Amino acid sequence: MPNAPLKNVLIDRIKRNGPIDLATYMQEALGHPKHGYYTTRNSIGSAGDFTTAPEISQLFGELIGLWIVDCWQQMGSPNQINLIEPGPGRGTLMCDALRVINRLSAMDPNIHLVETSPRLIAIQQEKLDATWHSSIDTVPRGPFILVANEFFDALPIHQYQMSPDGWTQAMIGISSPGDELQRMLQPCDQPTLTAPPHNFAQAPLGAIVESCPDAETFTRTIVERLGGDSGAALFIDYGYAKPAYGDSLQALFDGDYADPYQHPGLADLTSHVNFFALATIAHAAGLETYGPIEQGAFLNQLGLAMRADALKKNASAPQARAVDLAAQRLTAPGQMGTLFKVLALSSTTSLHPAGFAT
Ligand code: SAH
C-alpha cells in the first residue's frame, strides 16, 4: 500500500478539530496544494487512473470543434470571441477542436482555460496558446463559447441522509479502533436543494441526496454572462437528468474502484452531475436550454459515423479497428453513450446549438 501523506494530515486535523464535511474532504483530496490528487498526479489518459472522451479518440474533440464553429456562425461570426474551457485536463479536447476550427472557419478565438492544477497547466502550456485562470471570474466578458467536459464531476459535493431522527449530513471522522478515515452522519436541518427529488418532504429512511454548490455557482456565473453577452455553453459529464436519491461518490485508485476514504490524494474522486439542477438555474434566469441528452445521441447527430469513416480511409486495418472501437466506446449504451449526458445553454432563442434535434 503506497503511503498517503494526505491521510495523515487529515487524521491529525480531524483529531484536533473534529470531523470535516464531505465537500471539505473532497476539496482537500483533489486540490490540496501539496498532496491533492490533481496537484500531484498526471492521472488522465490511458496511462493514468482514468480516461476521458477526448483521450479515447480525436473524434470527440473534432466533433466538439464542429459544434463550436456552428455556434460561432450562428452568432454572426464575431471577430472577437472567447473560447473558454474549464478543467481542460491534458488540453487534448481543445487541441483537437482547434484543428477543426482552423481548417473549417476564419474563427480566431482567444482561448481562456480555467485550471487549478499546476501540473496540468504545465502540460496544457506545452500545447496551447492561451490565457490561464484559476477561476471563471477573471475570464474577460464578451461573446463566448464554453465547453466543459468532465469538469463538474470533479467538484466537491455535500451528501445528506435521512435517519430515523431526521436529516443528517455526511462527515468524515476517524474510526475507533483503527484510526482510519470513515464516513459518519451528523444531524442537520433539512437541506435546501435547487432541484429536490419528488416527494422530498417525505424522503424515505436511508435516502441520500447530494448537492454541488461549486457546480451551481459556476453555472450561475455562466448564466449571468449569457444574459448580457452572446454565446453558448456545453456541459458534458456523467450524471442524471432528473433529481434522484443515491450515493454517487466514487473513487478510482490505480484504475480500480476503491473506498473513497482510503486513499485521499492518491485516488480520483468524482460524483454524478445533477444536470436537472444546472438546467433549473438556467431556466430560472429565462435562458434556453438544450438537453440533457445522452452523449451517444449527441455525437451521432454531430456526424460521428461520417468522421470515423473519413479517418478510416487512410488508416491501416488495425488503425481502422481502433477507430471503430473508440467510436463504439464513446456512443454505445452501457459504455459512455448513455451514462454521459450533454446539456447546452444559449444566450438567445435564435442560437440553436447543434446536436440536440429531437
Ligand atoms: N476535461 C478534461 C479533464 C477532466 S478531469 C478531459 O476531458 O480529459 C477534471 C479537470 O478539472 C482537471 O483538469 C482538473 O485539474 C480540473 N479541475 C478540478 N477542479 C477544478 C476547479 N475547481 N477549477 C478549475 N479546474 C478544476
Side-chain angles (χ1 to χ4, degrees), residues 259-270:
D259 176 343
Y261 312 110
Q262 267 301 310
H263 316 282
L266 302 177
D268 184 36
L269 291 181
T270 57

Side-chain angles (χ1 to χ4, degrees), residues 192-198 209-210 216 240 242-244 274 276-278 280:
T192 309
L193 301 177
T194 299
H198 186 60
V209 283
E210 298 178 338
E216 296 193 5
Y240 40 103
K242 289 266 174 274
N274 184 345
F276 189 82
L278 305 187
T280 300

Side-chain angles (χ1 to χ4, degrees), residues 13-306:
R13 176 171 159 190
I14 293 168
K15 278 187 173 164
R16 274 201 316 276
N17 303 330
I20 54 177
D21 65 32
L22 176 59
T24 306
Y25 173 76
M26 279 183 83
Q27 180 63 45
E28 295 290 345
L30 295 175
H32 186 280
K34 192 149 167 236
H35 304 302
Y37 180 74
Y38 284 118
T39 324
T40 60
R41 310 267 287 190
N42 180 5
S43 44
I44 312 166
S46 50
D49 291 325
F50 64 100
T51 194
T52 58
E55 302 297 334
I56 288 173
S57 168
Q58 70 192 78
L59 283 167
F60 186 80
E62 289 176 349
L63 292 172
I64 300 297
L66 277 180
W67 185 90
I68 292 168
V69 169
D70 178 68
C71 283
W72 176 70
Q73 287 171 344
Q74 291 193 54
M75 289 163 70
S77 309
N79 287 333
Q80 282 288 331
I81 176 93
N82 292 327
L83 184 51
I84 308 170
E85 188 184 4
R90 302 177 61 79
T92 309
L93 188 161
M94 188 57 85
C95 286
D96 291 339
L98 283 173
R99 223 176 27 251
V100 167
I101 291 169
N102 292 333
R103 201 182 308 146
L104 295 186
S105 78
M107 182 179 175
D108 184 18
N110 296 313
I111 314 289
H112 292 276
L113 303 178
V114 183
E115 175 63 70
T116 44
S117 159
R119 216 180 151 119
L120 290 173
I121 290 174
I123 293 174
Q124 294 154 17
Q125 279 172 338
E126 285 170 19
K127 304 177 183 169
L128 288 161
D129 185 10
T131 310
W132 276 264
H133 305 262
S134 59
S135 154
I136 185 72
D137 296 332
T138 56
V139 175
R141 297 287 303 245
F144 72 95
I145 297 172
L146 178 142
V147 174
N149 185 62
E150 290 210 43
F151 167 63
F152 290 117
D153 68 54
L155 301 179
I157 57 162
H158 292 293
Q159 269 185 359
Y160 304 94
Q161 188 166 333
M162 181 52 95
S163 80
D165 300 320
W167 282 104
T168 57
Q169 178 170 11
M171 308 290 290
I172 313 307
I174 296 172
S175 66
S176 166
D179 259 10
E180 287 289 334
L181 293 171
Q182 72 168 14
R183 180 180 186 273
M184 46 189 283
L185 297 172
Q186 180 174 294
C188 68
D189 293 337
Q190 172 163 315
T192 309
L193 301 177
T194 299
H198 186 60
N199 262 345
F200 185 52
Q202 281 90 44
L205 190 62
I208 294 177
V209 283
E210 298 178 338
S211 74
C212 186
D214 289 359
E216 296 193 5
T217 302
F218 185 93
T219 302
R220 275 195 193 92
T221 302
I222 300 309
V223 161
E224 195 252 312
R225 288 184 178 216
L226 286 173
D229 303 327
S230 72
L234 186 68
F235 301 157
I236 308 167
D237 226 307
Y238 45 107
Y240 40 103
K242 289 266 174 274
Y245 294 115
D247 171 3
S248 78
L249 182 70
Q250 66 181 38
L252 268 181
F253 178 60
D254 274 348
D256 284 321
Y257 290 107
D259 176 343
Y261 312 110
Q262 267 301 310
H263 316 282
L266 302 177
D268 184 36
L269 291 181
T270 57
S271 72
H272 286 203
V273 174
N274 184 345
F275 279 100
F276 189 82
L278 305 187
T280 300
I281 291 168
H283 291 151
L287 277 194
E288 283 301 305
T289 60
Y290 301 84
I293 63 167
E294 292 169 352
Q295 172 173 297
F298 176 73
L299 294 177
N300 285 331
Q301 282 194 52
L302 290 181
L304 180 115
M306 251 165 57

